[in-house]
Amino acid sequence: MIKQIDTTSENNSLDRVDGRVKVTGTATYSAEYSFANLVHAVLITSTIAKGHITQIDSKEAETISGVLAIVSHLNSPGVPGYGTAKQPPERAGMGTSFRVFYDSLIYFSGQPIAMVLAETLEQANYAASLVKVTYHIEKHQTNFEENLSKAYISPGVLRNKNSPFQDYIRGDRDALDKSKFKIEATYTIPTQHHQPMEPHAIIAVWEAADKLTVYDKNQGVKSAQGNLAQAFKIPRENVKVNAQFIGGAFGSGIRVWPHTVAAVLAAKMLNRPVKLVLGRELMFSSVGYRPYTVQKVSMGADSDGLLTAIVHEGIGQTSSYEEHLERTILASRVMYDCPNVSTKYRLLSLDANTPTWMRGPGDASGMFALECALDELAFDLKIDPLTMRLRNYANHDLERNLPWSAKGLKECYELGAEKFGWKNRSHEVRSMRKDGMLIGYGMASSLYGFHRHPSKARVVMLANGTVIVQSATMDIGPGTGTAMTSIAARVLGISPDKIRFELGDSSLPDAPGQNGSSTIPSVGAAVHVACEALKKKLTELGDAMPGSDTASYADILKFHKLPELEVTEESRSGPERDQYSMYSFGCHFVEVHVSLVTGETRVKRVVTCADVGKIINYKTARSQSIGGVVGGIGMALMEESVMDHRYGRYVTSDFASYHIPVHSDIPQIDVLYVDKADTLANPIGAKGLGEIAIVGVAAAVANAVFHATGKRIRSLPINVEKLI
Ligand code: MOS
């Protein structure tokens, strides 16, 4: 039969297939495509948070050489898909998204209000500095804490009986009152911004009056294609979105933002390619953020530490013109074996831009609260926090009353505790010290829902036996091409260097955007089934030729005079999704050292463990886990977008003021996986990893800080001011 090579071991740790082009700078990112005739666009943004524009004086700017146009609501030809409905009839209209250059209304500071188009970037920048905007200013509300009483339940949620964000009650509503032991605490997550290395950028090119090509930083070429087709009222197939290389995103690229539409509009007006790159400061007001949240968790238990009640109420930030809902309170319904659970979720509209999903959206915030609260209760009961979690281990999903498809969380706890040396922890706070530093051990669990969407993959074997695999999926950094190459190599039994994976192009077979940790579960499954189909065809062709025992794939194609062989397959979930509850699970163990004198907190060690089903490629998976932990350390100790509420404007508007971990902040991180296929999830047995990697990390750090210092810091980030 066809010659097979053993790819199971080495292929489980492929180097990044695009590593070389990335580190040598030959990978082309959105802003780097070159066009003769390119126009440079610079946005002018609102300096007030609420009100309206009374005048835009661009006379002087228009005289600058090279300036081609200055676009605003005064002269915009309009975006056809925006329609003419008043937006909004009153200033707090919900469910409509922001329409760029539409009218004079100002909803947030940093809102794009005009755009200078010029021959060079310098000309555009200089001209933009000369445009004078006058406003009628209204009083804005940007302070979350001061507006808590205005939190409301989303009208859309109220209308939709099936919304997970409806108020939820399971079991006895008086269970908390009846509990022998209880705690109640409020946890605060500040606004955090994704801030990937590569800023958002677009080059828009109209190939014809109804034919558009964009080179755009985003996380989903197919959804961007659909959104732009809708906005400009042209057929979907006439829009081509290219996003082959993305320098990080963490969720900021899931939506099509106003600046993207603005660039496309400008290109249409001038009938020339237009390039727009957001500067770092605009990255704080243009592409979403993790919403500010305040969560109250009450928890009751009996003297053995068995949970008797969980009450979790969350309020999340949204904008005045749009609703953003996320999973903040949902994990509390499924994480533990607790019969009596209630949750509430509310929104609070502020005069700021709309938040969006940021790595582990909802769960990273919610599990911070839940996992800190559980730690607080365990400490009061003098029960080891890990023991507490094992005592309340949920053997099925109590929310949906379904069995898990697979749950290796117990194995995670065991593997992690062993590697970390959890047994060396003494229960009392401030009980472990070394060299003038307080030592703290903390841990937390993590979970993340399973997302699998219908996906297609095309596999083409060329005459020489090399293979091209294609899907309109994305790589925002995890190494999608590498994992897909690994899957194809294993199924086809050929060397990975004979395979090329193509992505980031909307003309390729349908695939979801890279979000919700859905890429491997969805597209990985499609690549798997497409390669199996190709292999079946090749096997049949091979069986029909003499001497097939030693024939290679190339020999088979040659014998049958086939220049190439191609299959396209789709893969999607079946009824199992309604019969089983599917999640990724994990846990983190953290050691912190806190200075007795200065309160300086250093994370010294992290052991992170996950059960995400089968690990497709160890090397890139490990990088994902490490990246998630780094993000979690940033969330715990540093990240905070600080606003000056007098102006409704962020004062953290660069990397000097918005702190993220640097290399010396990051310790040894050990990554462990259960690595057992979840055969119910999909044909490759793999679940999502990218988001769960960050979920729970901040709680583990906070719990370690408590163990070290005896101080519960419930408001992130845990910085020196809060500790001393
Ligand atoms: Mo993830 S926040 O869905 O990029």
Side-chain angles (χ1 to χ4, degrees):
M1 236 348 283
I2 295 160
K3 226 178 359 179
Q4 298 275 346
I5 60 161
D6 174 22
T7 50
T8 47
S9 49
E10 292 83 49
N11 270 0
N12 231 352
S13 232
L14 281 189
D15 290 342
R16 282 185 187 255
V17 294
D18 50 3
R20 190 171 294 268
V21 293
K22 281 190 170 176
V23 298
T24 54
T26 48
T28 309
Y29 292 81
S30 297
E32 298 177 325
Y33 287 85
S34 48
F35 290 89
N37 217 21
L38 187 68
V39 174
H40 296 264
V42 166
L43 286 175
I44 296 170
T45 61
S46 166
T47 56
I48 68 160
K50 186 176 178 179
H52 63 267
I53 300 163
T54 51
Q55 199 188 21
I56 297 179
D57 175 1
S58 56
K59 267 191 228 81
E60 195 186 348
E62 278 158 25
T63 65
I64 301 304
S65 98
V67 170
L68 300 162
I70 298 173
V71 194
S72 70
H73 70 284
L74 299 172
N75 62 349
S76 168
V79 176
Y82 280 171
T84 52
K86 260 235 178 311
Q87 186 220 356
E90 310 231 274
R91 292 298 306 275
M94 291 300 158
T96 51
S97 36
F98 176 78
R99 295 184 272 192
V100 69
F101 309 145
Y102 185 77
D103 56 24
S104 64
L105 297 181
I106 301 296
Y107 299 94
F108 60 93
S109 179
Q111 172 180 323
I113 53 176
M115 180 170 55
V116 178
L117 304 168
E119 298 289 349
T120 71
L121 181 61
E122 291 74 16
Q123 290 163 340
N125 265 322
Y126 179 55
S129 76
L130 300 174
V131 176
K132 292 176 203 72
V133 182
T134 40
Y135 304 93
H136 169 80
I137 300 175
E138 288 175 44
K139 190 170 160 45
H140 61 261
Q141 298 294 338
T142 51
N143 191 320
F144 195 89
E145 304 284 348
E146 281 179 5
N147 285 283
L148 284 176
S149 64
K150 294 182 195 147
Y152 62 94
I153 187 160
S154 153
V157 168
L158 281 176
R159 277 196 301 275
N160 174 8
K161 277 201 166 43
N162 296 321
S163 167
F165 300 108
Q166 294 256 6
D167 290 358
Y168 171 85
I169 295 185
R170 166 168 96 220
D172 178 1
R173 65 176 69 218
D174 301 320
L176 186 68
D177 293 339
K178 296 180 198 158
S179 299
K180 194 156 176 207
F181 296 93
K182 55 193 148 195
I183 56 115
E184 180 184 299
T186 298
Y187 302 89
T188 305
I189 313 274
T191 299
Q192 299 163 352
H193 280 81
H194 314 70
Q195 295 303 345
M197 286 293 281
E198 181 204 19
H200 281 245
I202 173 172
I203 297 176
V205 187
W206 285 89
E207 320 274 1
D210 63 348
K211 213 158 170 279
L212 171 70
T213 299
V214 295
Y215 303 81
D216 177 52
K217 174 181 178 131
N218 64 66
Q219 288 176 239
V221 283
K222 283 286 185 186
S223 53
Q225 178 193 40
N227 278 314
L228 289 173
Q230 225 169 11
F232 289 91
K233 292 216 164 149
I234 52 175
R236 207 188 156 96
E237 59 276 14
N238 286 14
V239 180
K240 184 169 156 133
V241 180
N242 182 307
Q244 272 188 47
F245 292 99
I246 302 291
F250 312 109
S252 64
I254 297 175
R255 303 188 67 182
V256 168
W257 298 107
H259 73 270
T260 305
V261 177
V264 175
L265 187 70
K268 179 111 197 161
M269 282 175 71
L270 299 179
N271 198 22
R272 285 173 61 176
V274 169
K275 168 153 121 178
L276 175 60
V277 180
L278 296 183
R280 192 53 67 183
E281 187 177 358
L282 285 193
M283 288 287 290
F284 282 87
S285 55
S286 311
V287 290
Y289 50 89
R290 191 190 298 285
Y292 199 108
T293 54
V294 170
Q295 302 173 67
K296 193 173 87 178
V297 179
S298 311
M299 211 178 251
D302 67 13
S303 44
D304 294 328
L306 292 175
L307 289 173
T308 48
I310 299 173
V311 179
H312 189 163
E313 298 173 1
I315 305 174
Q317 177 182 0
T318 194
S319 68
S320 67
Y321 55 93
E322 212 170 24
E323 287 192 354
H324 171 77
L325 300 118
E326 56 183 44
R327 296 180 36 88
T328 319
I329 41 80
L330 297 186
S332 289
R333 302 182 192 168
V334 293
M335 193 63 219
Y336 294 108
D337 186 27
C338 179
N340 309 304
V341 174
S342 70
T343 66
K344 279 187 182 154
Y345 182 65
R346 299 291 181 267
L347 292 177
L348 177 51
S349 298
L350 295 174
D351 297 312
N353 61 318
T354 311
T356 194
W357 301 281
M358 180 165 154
R359 200 170 193 175
D363 290 316
S365 304
M367 286 291 277
F368 170 70
L370 181 72
E371 289 295 292
C372 286
L374 195 73
D375 197 81
E376 300 201 22
L377 190 55
F379 184 80
D380 286 358
L381 292 165
K382 296 195 165 39
I383 296 174
D384 177 273
L386 177 54
T387 308
M388 183 84 178
R389 285 169 173 85
L390 287 164
R391 279 194 193 155
N392 292 288
Y393 197 82
N395 287 310
H396 74 284
D397 176 341
L398 275 76
E399 181 185 16
R400 294 171 69 204
N401 197 24
L402 288 175
W404 307 116
S405 59
K407 181 178 182 182
L409 181 55
K410 244 177 211 162
E411 289 89 329
C412 289
Y413 288 144
E414 277 163 27
L415 285 168
E418 174 65 29
K419 178 84 185 170
F420 185 78
W422 183 253
K423 63 178 189 308
N424 302 325
R425 174 185 187 269
S426 62
H427 188 73
E428 286 308 308
V429 299
R430 298 176 77 92
S431 61
M432 297 169 73
R433 295 180 186 211
K434 196 179 161 192
D435 305 332
M437 302 286 271
L438 294 164
I439 296 175
Y441 283 12
M443 58 94 46
S445 316
S446 56
L447 98 172
Y448 192 78
F450 179 70
H451 301 282
R452 179 179 173 199
H453 312 290
S455 302
K456 287 182 186 162
R458 180 188 297 135
V459 189
V460 187
M461 181 167 277
L462 303 177
N464 62 4
T466 62
V467 171
I468 300 166
V469 187
Q470 298 175 317
S471 181
T473 182
M474 311 294 297
D475 185 6
I476 61 169
T480 308
T482 312
M484 299 305 162
T485 299
S486 178
I487 292 168
R490 250 175 284 172
V491 175
L492 294 170
I494 63 174
S495 168
D497 58 22
K498 290 211 160 75
I499 298 166
R500 187 171 84 234
F501 187 78
E502 294 177 351
L503 49 55
D505 176 340
S506 61
S507 59
L508 297 175
D510 270 347
Q514 186 153 68
N515 54 62
S517 295
S518 64
T519 305
I520 297 267
S522 313
V523 183
V527 169
H528 179 90
V529 298
C531 289
E532 290 217 305
L534 180 73
K535 188 176 167 180
K536 185 159 171 278
K537 267 195 181 181
L538 284 161
T539 306
E540 285 163 10
L541 290 169
D543 287 347
M545 77 185 260
S548 65
D549 285 1
T550 54
S552 68
Y553 286 146
D555 295 338
I556 296 170
L557 291 185
K558 191 170 175 199
F559 175 84
H560 290 279
K561 299 195 169 57
L562 291 168
E564 59 179 51
L565 193 59
E566 175 191 322
V567 297
T568 301
E569 288 285 325
E570 188 187 53
S571 175
R572 56 168 73 218
S573 291
E576 72 282 356
R577 284 299 286 279
D578 299 321
Q579 295 156 357
Y580 296 90
S581 179
M582 302 185 183
Y583 283 87
S584 292
F585 293 96
C587 59
H588 318 280
F589 293 84
V590 170
E591 177 180 333
V592 298
H593 290 194
V594 183
S595 163
L596 279 158
V597 183
T598 63
E600 178 191 356
T601 302
R602 289 275 162 192
V603 177
K604 284 292 175 184
R605 277 191 308 136
V606 180
V607 174
T608 184
C609 188
D611 172 27
V612 294
K614 181 86 195 135
I615 298 298
I616 298 301
N617 192 62
Y618 258 97
K619 198 167 189 172
T620 42
R622 183 173 168 273
S623 296
Q624 273 289 87
S625 291
I626 289 173
V629 170
V630 173
I633 291 173
M635 183 177 176
L637 300 179
M638 297 168 204
E639 290 191 54
E640 178 177 25
S641 299
V642 179
M643 195 176 257
D644 183 337
H645 295 297
R646 290 174 302 171
Y647 308 105
R649 213 171 160 80
Y650 290 112
V651 290
T652 46
S653 56
D654 54 30
F655 280 139
S657 49
Y658 186 83
H659 293 166
I660 55 171
V662 297
H663 210 76
S664 64
D665 295 315
I666 298 305
Q668 174 66 36
I669 298 169
D670 288 312
V671 180
L672 305 168
Y673 298 116
V674 175
D675 195 15
K676 266 191 209 145
D678 182 343
T679 51
L680 290 162
N682 57 22
I684 56 174
K687 294 187 281 197
L689 171 63
E691 323 262 359
I692 197 180
I694 192 175
V695 176
V697 175
V701 174
N703 294 339
V705 168
F706 170 73
H707 182 237
T709 64
K711 284 186 187 164
R712 282 287 175 197
I713 310 297
R714 301 185 182 93
S715 167
L716 295 181
I718 302 169
N719 52 24
V720 170
E721 300 93 284
K722 290 171 189 161
L723 275 173
I724 56 172

